[in-house]
Amino acid sequence: MHGTSLPTRRDEWFIGIAKYDGVFQLGATRDEVAKAWDATIADLRRAPGGQVGPHEFISVTFGSMYSESDWIGLAQAISDFVVKGDDTVLIEQAAPAIAPEVENQTASCNAVTCVDAPWPKDLAVWERDAAEQHAKYPFAARYNQLLNGGCATWPVGSETRVTPLGKGLPPILMFAKSATRPRRTPVPSGCIRRCPPRAW
């Protein structure tokens, strides 16, 4: 689940921001930077900037955790907002994308995600699971619930899960570049597996 890996990625980002406190002025420690991030959410909740409120801010942070190339720009946008009171760049980065190609991407993602595995249809189950995850991973749990919520009412059933067995393949050694620090799905111990003969 996103919730278990992205908070770790966010902490790495916070640590990087703290390292360059002379540039961003958001704090010299991870905790200080986290407070600045939380304060940004609180400010946007009190007074949204146009179409940008706390959800949009969490969304842009969530998306930026997939690539370090986005980290400096978002850190600077938060710095401008917190230190200078200037929300121009933050609103520009976090404004919801409503272009047709973005809507198509969302629909395509749902079409794959919602049939990839069984999803609960009872909204009470979603609420229970999200509450449990929120207690452990407050950054991502509720956003993750919203991101996948369409699957609760998706009209097409899930497909039968395929278990890769590696049968008929030559022995190979696989390395996952981000296995120890995954963006999306955590892999315990940064698994490096050899197949066949065992399932992996």
Side-chain angles (χ1 to χ4, degrees):
M1 176 183 170
H2 296 88
T4 61
S5 57
L6 290 186
T8 300
R9 293 284 292 166
R10 189 187 61 158
D11 282 347
E12 292 174 358
W13 178 49
F14 285 170
I15 290 169
I17 294 173
K19 183 178 179 181
Y20 294 97
D21 183 45
V23 176
F24 300 113
Q25 300 177 34
L26 294 174
T29 67
R30 177 262 174 215
D31 289 346
E32 289 176 350
V33 174
K35 287 181 180 179
W37 188 85
D38 289 339
T40 301
I41 290 181
D43 286 344
L44 290 172
R45 183 174 288 116
R46 283 191 296 269
Q51 293 180 307
V52 176
H55 170 76
E56 288 73 25
F57 178 62
I58 292 173
S59 178
V60 73
T61 302
F62 198 91
S64 296
M65 296 303 98
Y66 291 98
S67 175
E68 288 92 340
S69 63
D70 297 328
W71 289 9
I72 293 176
L74 183 56
Q76 189 61 60
I78 297 171
S79 176
D80 288 350
F81 182 72
V82 172
V83 178
K84 303 176 183 177
D86 184 353
D87 63 4
T88 305
V89 179
L90 185 62
I91 290 176
E92 182 179 299
Q93 290 194 22
I98 56 175
E101 56 268 26
V102 176
E103 293 295 320
N104 186 60
Q105 181 183 17
T106 300
S108 299
C109 181
N110 283 343
V112 173
T113 302
C114 295
V115 301
D116 189 52
W119 291 85
K121 301 300 182 184
D122 185 350
L123 294 181
V125 174
W126 285 78
E127 286 296 326
R128 180 203 65 198
D129 292 348
E132 290 177 357
Q133 290 296 320
H134 182 77
K136 299 177 182 178
Y137 315 107
F139 164 51
R142 291 295 180 180
Y143 183 80
N144 192 70
Q145 179 188 23
L146 179 62
L147 192 67
N148 297 315
C151 297
T153 57
W154 199 253
V156 180
S158 60
E159 298 178 351
T160 302
R161 183 181 297 275
V162 176
T163 301
L165 299 175
K167 291 182 178 178
L169 297 176
I172 58 174
L173 183 63
M174 298 182 66
F175 293 91
K177 181 180 179 182
S178 61
T180 57
R181 288 160 53 192
R183 275 70 165 170
R184 182 179 291 261
T185 305
V187 181
S189 304
C191 297
I192 299 175
R193 303 292 179 107
R194 188 178 180 87
C195 70
R198 308 294 292 180
W200 52 275

